[in-house]
Amino acid sequence: MLANYGYKDGSGDFFITIDTDKCDGCGACVEACPAKVLELVENEFDLDAETDVAAVTEEHKKKIKYSCGPCKPAHGYKTEDLPCVQACKPGAIEHSW
Amino acid sequence: MTEDYRMVKEGKGAEYWRWTESRWTNPDLDWKQGEVVSAGVDVGSVSTQAVVMVDGKLYAYSNMRTGSDSPESANKAIEWAFEGTGLTLDNLKATVGTGYGRVNVPFATKAITEIACHARGANFMYGPTVRTVLDMGGQDCKAIHCDEKGKVKAFLMNDKCAAGTGRGMEVFADLLGVHINDVGEMSLSVEEEPPPVSSTCVVFAKSEASGLLREGWDKEKVLAAYCSAMAHRIVDLLERIGVEKEFAITGGIAKNPGVVKRLAKELNIEPLPTDMDTQIAGAMGGALFARALYLKKMKKK
Amino acid sequence: MITAGVDCGSKNVRVVIVKDGEIMAQSMAPAGMDTANAAQEAYDKALAEAGIAAGDIEKVVATGAGKNEPGFKDDDVTEVGADARGAVHLFPDARTVIDVGAEEGRAIKIDAQGKVIDFAINEKCAAGAGAFTESMARALEVKLEELGPLSLESTQAIPMNAQCAVFAESEVVTLVHKKTSKQDMARAIHDAIADRITSMVRRVGIEEKIVLIGGVSYNIGFVKSLEEDLETKVLIPERPEFVGALGAALVAASK
């Protein structure tokens, strides 16, 4: 399941997509994120699921453009180099911007 | 969270909100004959719905305003749904809480996110062919892609930005002094479709609209430009999760033909019709999950 | 050499006339529906103030969202370029320029030579610009000018949940009903916008000296919240809203 956390506003699209089928609940992304944007939650989308999955915290959902700012310097960055994306071995995390 | 879209400020300066609460009981069902009575309670920021199902069939529901605290609102909603049926909390085998206040439903067996509940409820309402559900509430916009079982395959929820929500439309209705229920029809009365309002941000779109009015545009034309902008924005959002047939629209915007018709035209897909109150989709999904959870527990025993 | 800079913003058009690096005149006119007209009006005013004729101006450079509008311009420059040029002229050791206008916020990083290295922009969303404070002042039923002084009297920091200006208005109304003091709410408003601006500035890197320009710089409540967030003081020119036009006039002199 593709969970898109974030928003689209006049200034652009700011979504972190977590593929819950790939996420194994290891929590490496939670540790890696310097802004504490991610957390592990119960997989409410699959009642048979046995492991938790990563999600964007309620606190950051509405401001990830700003929360993720420190990892996205104005002079340029590659989304595949972001700490959370790097930390995720199964490749479950994507950023839209 | 769909309903403040239908609330309308009346009178100048007076904060008078009008919106009708409702309840319903299925006259063809008797819960005493059923095996599993389950419930779903959707506590939104504006309204709360309680749905009672008997063996997976819709038995009763209530739809009312959310009070100042969630537990109280959940209690009131379920009591109202029970009214005249003889049901009490003891008769419920399982209850799922959902929505903004889902963890504050005192009698719930489990809390489940509104996205999952909404998809499950839409699957019940519109049938298993529904693949894309768009819910436009007063303060948020949800797009869900689901399978034939109502299981979520992809979703996005935008509750950060007012553009593309009922609130955004309300700001426009307010600016033009038009009743929110009339916005859709009025916007469709233009002879020629104007270019859409270019600003996404509601604050900037409002200034843009004021400019258009000063330029001599009539209200209908401004509304057409805004409804069309909103339809564009929704199409953009839907593209992130992919639009697949069949397509269903729930929430307040479903009642605005000015947006729905433009949206259908742009997507080239007609939304599915339903005669049910789409506001109860989340609570209904909750009641269906509650039943599934109960049956699973019984099987284990 | 006499040159002019025209900053065609969304709300106002500003003109600065410069003679050999010295400001001769600065004037403004509301942009209204017709930026070209407003630009002409502001330009005529500035000429009158300087006591010169249009023929005395060697070159006119325009900037701002409507920089293509004025019929009398010779050239144009980006807002970022104009901001940096103007700020460095006023504060030669500036390394970071923050411009918060009505509809846009910008953070610009410049090197020791005054050259732009990086910039970040918050645009098309009222939450990251002055429009946010305008909406909030309306919701609080205070004048925009009162918002800053009010927040300095705040006794506690309270968080604002909503990001969007439209939703934040409702939140403010709810807080009013809960009897939260206007002082604390004013501070919450400034903390919220300062937080977003700071996050934008971090994307270019915070390096002193930091110059704050744009109309929102007049709001002392915002400045306080911003300085707390940045953990350092900012330099504010006497007329922060004219820096873009000044920069454009200086660009005209060197082009």
Side-chain angles (χ1 to χ4, degrees):
Chain A
M1 199 266 305
L2 297 173
N4 289 282
Y5 298 103
Y7 50 89
K8 174 190 183 72
D9 67 18
S11 67
D13 282 37
F14 308 97
F15 287 100
I16 294 178
T17 307
I18 294 170
D19 187 336
T20 58
D21 297 328
K22 287 184 184 166
C23 176
D24 58 9
C26 75
C29 57
V30 179
E31 295 294 317
C33 175
K36 297 189 166 43
V37 164
L38 299 160
E39 63 178 345
L40 286 180
V41 296
E42 184 193 349
N43 187 347
E44 290 178 55
F45 292 96
D46 185 354
L47 298 177
D48 299 324
E50 300 198 338
T51 57
D52 286 352
V53 288
V56 174
T57 67
E58 204 57 52
E59 189 202 338
H60 290 285
K61 262 176 206 168
K62 296 181 194 169
K63 55 178 184 187
I64 59 169
K65 169 185 171 184
Y66 299 106
S67 305
C68 294
C71 289
K72 303 192 172 195
H75 59 74
Y77 59 90
K78 287 182 183 153
T79 53
E80 60 262 35
D81 295 337
L82 296 171
C84 55
V85 178
Q86 282 277 310
C88 184
K89 293 281 174 294
I93 305 177
E94 273 183 46
H95 283 236
S96 73
W97 82 111
Chain B
M1 297 220 275
T2 57
E3 36 298 333
D4 70 340
Y5 179 75
R6 297 201 301 181
M7 295 182 176
V8 173
K9 263 187 208 164
E10 290 199 339
K12 273 191 182 156
E15 286 266 292
Y16 177 71
W17 303 88
R18 193 186 67 182
W19 169 64
T20 355
E21 299 183 322
S22 62
R23 76 165 302 287
W24 176 87
T25 312
N26 187 340
D28 305 326
L29 274 185
D30 178 6
W31 66 269
K32 291 190 188 83
Q33 308 293 319
E35 276 172 35
V36 182
V37 182
S38 65
V41 181
D42 184 349
V43 185
S45 56
V46 182
S47 80
T48 299
Q49 293 86 24
V51 164
V52 181
M53 294 187 109
V54 175
D55 297 332
K57 290 194 186 83
L58 182 59
Y59 175 65
Y61 73 77
S62 68
N63 183 359
M64 62 199 295
R65 234 168 253 116
T66 299
S68 52
D69 81 294
S70 300
E72 180 70 15
S73 304
N75 285 331
K76 278 190 175 158
I78 197 78
E79 276 163 27
W80 201 28
F82 285 164
E83 200 177 279
T85 64
L87 276 166
T88 68
L89 286 177
D90 293 338
N91 300 115
L92 297 178
K93 297 278 198 252
T95 303
V96 161
T98 188
Y100 171 80
R102 64 180 176 277
V103 293
N104 293 314
V105 179
F107 49 92
T109 328
K110 193 178 170 60
I112 296 181
T113 163
E114 61 265 40
I115 305 279
C117 289
H118 209 91
R120 187 69 175 259
N123 174 272
F124 183 91
M125 265 182 194
Y126 295 95
T129 56
V130 69
R131 288 291 170 280
T132 311
V133 184
L134 168 73
D135 178 63
M136 273 181 71
Q139 302 185 43
D140 68 4
C141 177
K142 296 191 265 280
I144 307 168
H145 188 71
C146 59
D147 68 10
E148 73 286 350
K149 288 183 181 131
K151 198 163 175 275
V152 181
K153 305 302 271 180
F155 80 86
L156 75 80
M157 172 159 144
N158 191 353
D159 58 354
K160 181 263 176 189
C161 171
T165 68
R167 177 62 52 79
M169 195 52 93
E170 198 180 71
V171 166
F172 261 71
D174 236 21
L175 173 76
L176 298 170
V178 170
H179 199 286
I180 193 93
N181 296 342
D182 300 333
V183 166
E185 290 301 338
M186 277 177 76
S187 81
L188 290 170
S189 72
V190 290
E191 275 172 26
E192 202 184 331
E193 191 74 3
V197 171
S198 69
S199 310
T200 297
C201 176
V202 176
V203 174
F204 297 155
K206 203 174 141 186
S207 334
E208 198 179 324
S210 306
L212 295 172
L213 287 170
R214 279 198 302 269
E215 248 177 58
W217 284 34
D218 55 25
K219 287 179 183 180
E220 286 78 4
K221 203 170 161 191
V222 175
L223 287 173
Y226 193 62
C227 287
S228 138
M230 202 176 253
H232 273 307
R233 176 177 164 80
I234 297 164
V235 170
D236 274 353
L237 272 178
L238 284 170
E239 271 168 4
R240 176 158 296 280
I241 59 150
V243 190
E244 226 181 278
K245 275 189 186 176
E246 299 285 339
F247 172 51
I249 306 179
T250 62
I253 212 71
K255 300 177 179 94
N256 181 331
V259 176
V260 173
K261 284 195 177 158
R262 288 178 173 92
L263 187 65
K265 196 175 163 198
E266 206 167 320
L267 290 173
N268 202 20
I269 305 181
E270 277 303 317
L272 288 172
T274 181
D275 45 17
M276 286 190 201
D277 183 347
T278 62
Q279 266 183 266
I280 64 165
M284 191 186 266
L288 289 163
F289 274 128
R291 173 181 153 79
L293 285 168
Y294 174 75
L295 293 176
K296 202 169 135 188
K297 196 175 89 186
M298 287 296 105
K299 227 165 136 186
K300 272 188 187 162
K301 274 188 181 170
Chain C
M1 177 156 108
I2 304 176
T3 56
V6 189
D7 180 2
C8 304
S10 51
K11 284 256 158 83
N12 293 293
V13 176
R14 296 185 174 88
V15 172
V16 171
I17 296 176
V18 170
K19 183 181 183 184
D20 304 326
E22 292 295 319
I23 296 172
M24 286 181 83
Q26 41 195 8
S27 68
M28 59 164 277
M33 295 293 298
D34 190 343
T35 301
N37 237 335
Q40 190 64 53
E41 187 190 330
Y43 189 46
D44 291 343
K45 262 199 269 184
L47 288 171
E49 193 187 314
I52 55 173
D56 299 326
I57 306 263
E58 208 149 311
K59 194 170 179 186
V60 182
V61 167
T63 188
K67 56 178 166 285
N68 293 320
E69 298 293 324
F72 54 91
K73 65 146 194 180
D74 300 303
D75 206 345
D76 55 62
V77 60
T78 63
E79 293 92 304
V80 168
D83 278 356
R85 190 59 181 269
V88 170
H89 179 79
L90 298 169
F91 302 99
D93 47 1
R95 289 294 175 277
T96 312
V97 181
I98 307 171
D99 179 355
V100 188
E103 294 201 351
E104 218 171 274
R106 285 187 280 274
I108 307 163
K109 187 175 193 168
I110 41 193
D111 65 13
Q113 282 71 47
K115 211 177 127 241
V116 175
I117 309 171
D118 267 331
F119 64 90
I121 302 180
N122 272 350
E123 58 174 353
K124 295 175 182 167
C125 170
F132 183 77
T133 50
E134 286 169 33
S135 295
M136 295 308 104
R138 249 197 323 274
L140 257 187
E141 295 178 332
V142 300
K143 289 202 189 90
L144 184 57
E145 314 83 84
E146 290 168 2
L147 204 58
L150 258 182
S151 78
L152 297 187
E153 294 165 14
S154 160
T155 53
Q156 56 171 338
I158 47 168
M160 271 191 86
N161 179 39
Q163 295 286 322
C164 173
V166 174
F167 291 146
E169 272 189 52
S170 322
E171 195 174 335
V172 165
V173 172
T174 308
L175 289 168
V176 170
H177 286 303
K178 284 189 182 160
K179 307 264 187 271
T180 308
S181 79
K182 284 194 175 181
Q183 286 81 355
D184 290 343
M185 274 156 59
R187 171 160 169 202
I189 291 160
H190 294 129
D191 283 351
I193 175 130
D195 188 41
R196 292 189 280 268
I197 298 293
T198 301
S199 148
M200 176 184 67
V201 181
R202 282 189 204 286
R203 295 192 56 225
V204 302
I206 300 172
E207 198 183 330
E208 295 186 84
K209 301 289 184 32
I210 303 172
V211 178
L212 177 66
I213 61 172
V216 184
S217 318
Y218 282 117
N219 181 333
I220 50 172
F222 166 71
V223 174
K224 182 164 185 267
S225 295
L226 183 69
E227 287 183 332
E228 276 171 15
D229 263 5
L230 292 169
E231 294 172 347
T232 180
K233 290 273 168 201
V234 297
L235 300 167
I236 304 173
E238 206 177 313
R239 300 299 298 272
E241 75 278 37
F242 280 101
V243 177
L246 169 67
L250 295 166
V251 167
S254 62
K255 254 188 179 174

